[in-house]
Amino acid sequence: MTILIEQPDHQLGSQMEEKKLCSETNETCELVLDGGFVVPKDISKNDGCVTQEIAASNDAFIAPEINSFGQSFRDYNAESERQKSVEEFYKSNHIYQTLDFVKKMREEYSKLNRVEMSIWECCELLNEVVDDSDPDLDEPQIEHLLQTAEAIRKDYPNEDWLHLTALIHDLGKVLLLPNFGELPQWAVVGDTHPLGCAFDESIVHHKYFKENPDYNNASLNSKYGIYSEGCGLDNVMISWGHDDYMYLVAKENGTTLPQAGLFIIRYHSFYPLHRAGAYRHLMNKEDEENLKWLQVFNKYDLYSKSKVRVDVEKVKPYYLSLIEKYFPAKLRW
């Protein structure tokens, strides 16, 4: 089954317009999504900190100025106990995620021989998961999934595949649970990056890569490493985690989601690419097209993290209908 989707016409892939409000004393810039969801226009620094210029809202979806901890989104340098644990997470992630490790994980989990269950059953399992790598959220993951999906649904009511993609994009975090191997957090969550080539300096807490065995391997630490220009991200080994796992589950179980949806699932944590523009030399034309939709999605994935609760029972029938449309009743995990 082939699903045709219209590509966003914005040069960055989101159906957004940039609105400038200027006065004699100051100038404010904001990004306005289709349904009126206004998000901060931010500045990404190499240390992973995002400086917000503005956050506004209207009667559509409200974009918060700060995260659940009263700090700027993705600010990895803010002083707090939460930030200390996040940095410790990235230290382990950067040391132990090697090319050999990723190859082993892909081989093991591509067997899909652990559990058989539905998409919604997996959503409910995420009530047991909290992501230690996320500086913006300490709520159960099901809350974030529904916040993201409902925010996108407001602005893109006709793109039901995108609503479902938002709902399921983090389901791979079940890897943290006993039935799925109970992997350590550093092997499941956090920003992702390529293995087999140089670690770009835009990667959060880059300094810890110096302890990674691949760091001083001459065949793996150049710009292209084992890859070639335009080889396509499908041919690039990305650090192992919930993104790649959920992509494997969806693809191997015969989902009819469009390629853009699968691309979002697989690369939504690849912040060095879609925030800093790193590794674009490895992308092919198909990647470039799919990246446009990922950049649309990312605004909601990041800024919809809040204390606003979603009535699960109220929205459940809608998402069950989408699951039935795009997935089999039971999936192998």
Side-chain angles (χ1 to χ4, degrees), residues 149-166:
E150 284 296 282
I152 291 177
R153 187 180 173 189
K154 286 175 182 284
D155 278 4
Y156 292 85
N158 298 321
E159 305 290 350
D160 66 354
W161 66 270
L162 192 56
H163 310 163
L164 182 58
T165 298

Side-chain angles (χ1 to χ4, degrees), residues 132-150:
D132 285 349
S133 74
D134 194 336
D136 301 320
L137 189 69
D138 65 349
E139 299 290 337
Q141 292 298 303
I142 187 64
E143 296 283 338
H144 169 55
L145 297 182
L146 287 170
Q147 287 170 353
T148 306
E150 284 296 282

Side-chain angles (χ1 to χ4, degrees), residues 21 27 82 132 169 199 258 262 269 274 281 318:
L21 306 174
E27 179 179 283
R82 178 69 173 175
D132 285 349
H169 76 280
F199 301 116
L262 290 173
S269 299
H274 57 76
H281 55 282
Y318 173 70

